[in-house]
Amino acid sequence: MASAYLDGLRGLAPEIALTGTALAVLCFDLVTRGRDSRRAGWLALAGLAATALLLFQQWGGERHVVFGMVAVDMFGNFFKLFTVGALSVVVLFVMNDRRERAHGIGEYYFLLLGAAIGVFFMVSTSNLLLLVLGLELLSLASYSLAGFHKGDKRSAEASMKYVIFGGLSTGIMLYGISLLYGLTGTLDLTLMASGADSGLVRQVASNPAPAGIALVLVLAGFAYKVSVAPFHFWTPDVYEGAPTPVTTFLAVGSKAAGFGALLRFLGALFLNDGVEAGVARYGQRIGLLLALLAAVTMTLGNLAALRQPSLKRMLAYSSIAHAGYVLIGLACMSAQGFSAAMFYLAAYYFMNLGAFGFLLYFEGVLGSDSIDSLRGMGWRAPLVSVAMVAFLISLTGLPPTVGFYGKYLLFVEGWNSGLAWLVVVAGLNSVVSLFYYLRVAKALFFAQPSERAAAPQPVLVGFLALLGVATVVFGLYTAPLQEWATRSLDILTGFDKGA
């Protein structure tokens, strides 16, 4: 018994390391009374590096479930590494954000690490109770981070809206989960649809309406987390009002976590090896619903972004549109579609982190996030601006960037799955996005050179240049990311539930 317990703890080593790091950062900040927050940032980075090392050690190992709730598999590992990478970049952004130096930011890192712990459990469980607990841990930390600048009205407004809408979406999701539990008698997704006598199988065969209502309510909770229409309304205000490093985490890390949990939810219910045929067919109806949401989401996001004078708000609507693109892969309801969605999320990591890093850099220089304030600044900060052009081209989906190949995979899988109409809508939306993305490039380079000097920030500039290079390199050499996404999709096969 003791040996089994210790084996379980070894399976949770990354989560334990991340929790220990969060507590260490909090204690360090209390002891130093917030006077040495930069060292707290380095401590957070060291803990994230240790967590990443433990995740790499687990990669490719035997798949199993720890304590009957937490799955140790390559799918969860994919999103955990994604989160660690995104969070490391966000911590670097916080440490190099000149405006944040006016605030005691030691607890900043504690809240970010707390959000990451929630993400780790969200993406690694098929138990709906633990999924909700992980989601709430992520959400509570995010609410606090959005309102971190307590003296800023926009930040306070962002936090308030986030709390109200987040509480509403969680309530809707919990009601859906309670219905699923009542219909199936279990909170374990792998047991709901597996076997001819499972509760979901009987329900779908006799009266599918209650199961449909429950699933729609749960999907509404996921839709809120990943900014899918019509649950996107909080996104522009929260992204604009929150500190830019927090916005970066919400747009990249939090969104990827939501999609990771949604992929596991859909895969366990409708695509797993043990799923009964009737439930799998019912999943195709869910796929059609997701396809409709994808079309509405990407169209609304792109059209709204056209009119935004604020770069931060434009990127908020852009993130809504990209949620619609990712949904194409989910709407396919196939392993290939899921793999394409995961590749696109990995591509999104590089281009969106870079875009928000560019915003952070020029907010510190200009004190504004308006696109007009960037006029001529491309000649004053050429390295950062050229990297931004690469990010914008990738976000549009043009070669030779990683965003182009990501969209190519999604479009191919959508077409092969009989969603040609959705692929056409996505293609037209990509054309629309070209107008507002290249508006930023036009302001940078096709205007009279600015008289303002760009302050030197070598760490931030170097990192943005590295992200820009990665955006192009992974667009030309796609094999590593594609193989990683494909190998990580191991949730669609059964495995031993011991440990």
Side-chain angles (χ1 to χ4, degrees):
M1 182 66 71
S3 176
Y5 183 76
L6 292 176
D7 288 341
L9 290 180
R10 278 192 286 270
L12 292 176
E15 286 81 358
I16 293 172
L18 198 59
T19 304
T21 302
L23 294 175
V25 167
L26 179 63
C27 292
F28 179 84
D29 186 60
L30 290 173
V31 170
T32 59
R33 297 183 181 180
R35 291 191 295 266
D36 205 352
S37 57
R38 193 169 184 83
R39 287 193 180 181
W42 286 115
L43 180 59
L45 287 175
L48 289 169
T51 303
L53 180 61
L54 291 170
L55 289 170
F56 280 121
Q57 289 177 349
Q58 288 184 349
W59 176 259
E62 184 180 354
R63 301 166 58 217
H64 59 282
V65 172
V66 176
F67 303 131
M69 298 183 78
V70 182
V72 179
D73 53 24
M74 288 190 289
F75 178 84
N77 197 286
F78 176 93
F79 284 98
K80 289 175 186 177
L81 284 171
F82 192 107
T83 302
V84 168
L87 198 58
S88 299
V89 175
V90 171
V91 170
L92 284 173
F93 283 177
V94 174
M95 295 171 67
N96 289 277
D97 188 351
R98 295 181 173 185
R99 294 165 308 150
E100 294 297 344
R101 294 173 190 173
H103 301 271
I105 57 175
E107 59 269 25
Y108 216 132
Y109 307 115
F110 171 73
L111 290 170
L112 286 170
L113 292 166
I117 296 168
V119 171
F120 272 40
F121 286 111
M122 269 181 66
V123 301
S124 296
T125 185
S126 295
N127 185 287
L128 290 175
L129 177 60
L130 186 58
L131 186 151
V132 171
L133 291 175
L135 175 64
E136 280 302 285
L137 182 55
L138 168 62
S139 298
L140 289 172
S142 300
Y143 301 153
S144 300
L145 286 166
F148 196 81
H149 293 170
K150 295 180 284 293
D152 186 338
K153 289 184 179 179
R154 290 195 308 171
S155 184
E157 179 185 356
S159 181
M160 181 61 68
K161 286 182 177 179
Y162 203 6
V163 169
I164 293 172
F165 295 141
L168 177 63
S169 70
T170 301
I172 293 172
M173 189 178 192
L174 279 171
Y175 187 56
I177 289 173
S178 68
L179 286 177
L180 275 180
Y181 177 71
L183 294 172
T184 63
T186 180
L187 289 170
D188 193 324
L189 292 170
T190 58
L191 299 178
M192 282 186 183
S194 300
D197 294 328
S198 68
L200 192 60
V201 172
R202 294 195 304 271
Q203 190 64 46
V204 169
S206 61
N207 183 12
I213 294 172
L215 289 170
V216 167
L217 292 174
V218 175
L219 290 175
F222 282 119
Y224 171 86
K225 181 51 64 179
V226 298
S227 304
V228 168
F231 303 96
H232 67 284
F233 41 79
W234 61 275
T235 308
D237 291 337
V238 172
Y239 279 28
E240 185 179 29
T244 300
V246 174
T247 304
T248 307
F249 177 72
L250 294 177
V252 181
S254 181
K255 185 180 290 287
F259 273 114
L262 179 55
L263 282 165
R264 188 181 286 274
F265 178 82
L266 294 174
L269 281 185
F270 302 115
L271 297 180
N272 198 288
D273 279 349
V275 171
E276 200 269 340
V279 176
R281 286 193 299 271
Y282 192 75
Q284 298 304 313
R285 300 183 188 179
I286 301 297
L288 179 59
L289 172 62
L290 294 175
L292 293 172
L293 290 177
V296 172
T297 300
M298 66 179 75
T299 303
L300 187 149
N302 282 314
L303 292 179
L306 282 172
R307 304 180 58 187
Q308 301 304 319
S310 162
L311 178 57
K312 198 173 187 181
R313 202 169 178 87
M314 187 202 82
L315 289 174
Y317 280 109
S318 165
S319 75
I320 294 172
H322 283 278
Y325 297 135
V326 177
L327 278 181
I328 297 174
L330 276 66
C332 295
M333 294 303 284
S334 66
Q336 294 79 12
F338 279 23
S339 177
M342 290 172 68
F343 181 94
Y344 195 78
L345 286 170
Y348 187 72
Y349 171 90
F350 295 104
M351 52 195 184
N352 219 40
L353 279 179
F356 277 102
F358 170 89
L359 171 63
L360 184 73
Y361 176 84
F362 274 108
E363 275 186 329
V365 172
L366 304 172
S368 170
D369 66 351
S370 72
I371 295 174
D372 284 342
S373 68
L374 297 173
R375 295 176 63 85
M377 289 303 296
W379 305 105
R380 292 294 182 182
L383 191 58
V384 173
S385 300
V386 169
M388 181 58 171
V389 172
F391 303 140
L392 293 171
I393 291 173
S394 186
L395 286 165
T396 305
L398 297 177
T401 60
V402 68
F404 165 76
Y405 193 73
K407 279 190 178 177
Y408 167 77
L409 288 178
L410 289 172
F411 289 2
V412 167
E413 295 306 329
W415 190 278
N416 292 339
S417 299
L419 297 173
W421 65 271
L422 181 58
V423 173
V424 172
V425 171
L428 293 174
N429 270 281
S430 296
V431 174
V432 171
S433 70
L434 182 66
F435 288 92
Y436 64 82
Y437 284 135
L438 293 191
R439 186 158 58 101
V440 179
K442 179 183 176 182
L444 285 170
F445 290 106
F446 293 93
Q448 187 70 23
S450 175
E451 297 298 324
R452 291 192 179 189
Q457 297 187 59
V459 175
L460 189 55
V461 170
F463 190 75
L464 291 177
L466 183 63
L467 283 175
V469 170
T471 299
V472 176
V473 168
F474 284 116
L476 297 172
Y477 184 52
T478 61
L481 281 183
Q482 193 168 6
E483 182 181 358
W484 186 31
T486 303
R487 289 190 62 194
S488 297
L489 197 62
D490 59 350
I491 56 170
L492 304 185
T493 55
F495 60 94
D496 178 24
K497 298 195 69 174

